[in-house]
Amino acid sequence: MVATTLLQCGSLAASDYRCTETRGAAPIAERHDGYTVAYVRSGSFGYRVRGAHFELVAGSVLLGAPGDEYVCTHDHAAGDRCLSFQIAPALVDAFDSGAAAWRGTGLPPLPQLMVLGELAQAAADGQSDVGLDEVGVAFAARVAALLAGRPARAARPGVRERQRAVDAALWIDANAQDAIDLDAAAAVAGLSPYHFLRLFGAVLGVTPHQYVVRVRLRRAARLLADDTRPITDVAYDVGFGDLSNFVRTFHRAAGVSPSGFRRAARGDRRILQERLARRA
């Protein structure tokens, strides 16, 4: 088993697990240390927990609760890959269903989970402007709601809640050049990450991470148009951690590279016109 940590923050962690066990390999008894939800990306394996046996394939979901003993088997296939989230107890308690509904089990491929699982993988691969922590919280909350047998309630923010969301957005705008994750923004609002994520989206129509990215893009566009500093410096100044992420994100948003945008801002209008024509 090869495990790669993708994210580590207060409310959850995310890891990429790649299993290379051969078919028929002897299973090893293990124990879940905390709340776990894993999305099966590819391959297949068996999951024995709480006296039940589940055959999991791509699109399936594995769940574990603290203290659950389990084994993974490879009777029918070899190798698999999972995107796994480890959820803090306080976050599980904040879900509408609470911790009581969370139990070790396996879920079949379900459309409402697969779309979030694939979005989570896109976020992990840097192909989405939704934060991996945000989609991890949403994915875990959706699973908890399914276990409890009821849908998650829609947020209906009042005046005070709307003020919290707006204040958080203003704080993000003022600090977007720094590292900001869901936990940090939720702390400013005085809410759990789960409730803050729902409130922010309900009030402002975007997730906190999307807002962070868009603030950074807005500032980058301004600097590219009016400034002569190197593009690498622009990327770091507005808060992007590396140049390749900045170039990829900017191109996805603008349809043109940062250097192309700068040339267009300096008079080469053909660049933007050509990109817009391709999108029409």
Side-chain angles (χ1 to χ4, degrees):
M1 176 75 73
V2 178
T4 303
T5 300
L6 304 174
L7 171 71
Q8 182 75 56
C9 59
S11 58
L12 81 166
S15 302
D16 177 75
Y17 284 96
R18 298 172 187 251
C19 177
T20 57
E21 289 285 3
T22 59
R23 183 175 178 179
I28 299 174
E30 301 178 76
R31 183 189 298 270
H32 288 295
D33 295 328
Y35 295 102
T36 298
V37 56
Y39 177 68
V40 183
R41 290 277 293 129
S42 63
S44 175
F45 61 97
Y47 179 49
R48 295 177 184 169
V49 63
R50 293 177 174 256
H53 190 164
F54 306 92
E55 295 294 344
L56 304 182
V57 295
S60 298
V61 174
L62 174 155
L63 287 100
D68 279 346
E69 294 184 352
Y70 70 96
V71 294
C72 291
T73 62
H74 297 84
D75 299 329
H76 311 297
D80 57 85
R81 181 183 176 189
C82 296
L83 177 60
S84 177
F85 294 97
Q86 295 76 52
I87 317 297
L91 180 56
V92 175
D93 287 336
F95 296 151
D96 293 336
S97 54
W102 198 283
R103 61 186 181 277
T105 188
L107 298 176
L110 299 172
Q112 61 268 48
L113 297 182
M114 289 191 295
V115 292
L116 284 177
E118 292 301 322
L119 178 59
Q121 188 61 47
D125 293 340
Q127 297 174 350
S128 170
D129 63 355
V130 176
L132 182 57
D133 52 357
E134 295 174 341
V135 70
V137 169
F139 184 63
R142 181 75 61 85
V143 168
L146 284 172
L147 291 175
R150 58 175 180 267
R153 294 174 296 177
R156 294 187 178 89
V159 174
R160 184 168 179 268
E161 288 74 22
R162 288 179 176 275
Q163 184 64 56
R164 281 184 169 185
V166 171
D167 287 346
L170 294 174
W171 178 83
I172 289 173
D173 200 284
N175 296 275
Q177 71 279 2
D178 301 324
I180 296 176
D181 60 18
L182 182 60
D183 280 13
V188 170
L191 296 170
S192 73
Y194 170 59
H195 287 107
F196 174 68
L197 180 60
R198 294 202 305 169
L199 174 65
F200 197 93
V203 174
L204 297 176
V206 294
T207 72
H209 184 76
Q210 286 174 325
Y211 188 68
V212 170
V213 171
R214 292 170 194 188
V215 169
R216 290 171 178 170
L217 288 173
R218 188 183 77 234
R219 294 179 180 175
R222 186 183 309 141
L223 290 175
L224 289 170
D226 300 335
D227 198 88
T228 58
R229 76 186 75 181
I231 290 175
T232 300
D233 291 352
V234 171
Y236 290 128
D237 287 350
V238 300
F240 284 92
D242 63 81
L243 180 61
S244 61
N245 181 34
F246 169 61
V247 172
R248 182 172 58 249
T249 303
F250 192 94
H251 195 285
R252 187 167 60 236
V256 63
S257 68
S259 58
F261 181 86
R262 170 167 278 174
R263 291 196 302 273
R266 292 176 177 174
D268 192 350
R269 304 298 180 189
R270 294 171 300 173
I271 295 173
L272 286 179
Q273 290 171 352
E274 289 173 1
R275 298 304 189 279
L276 291 173
R278 291 174 189 171
R279 290 189 168 192

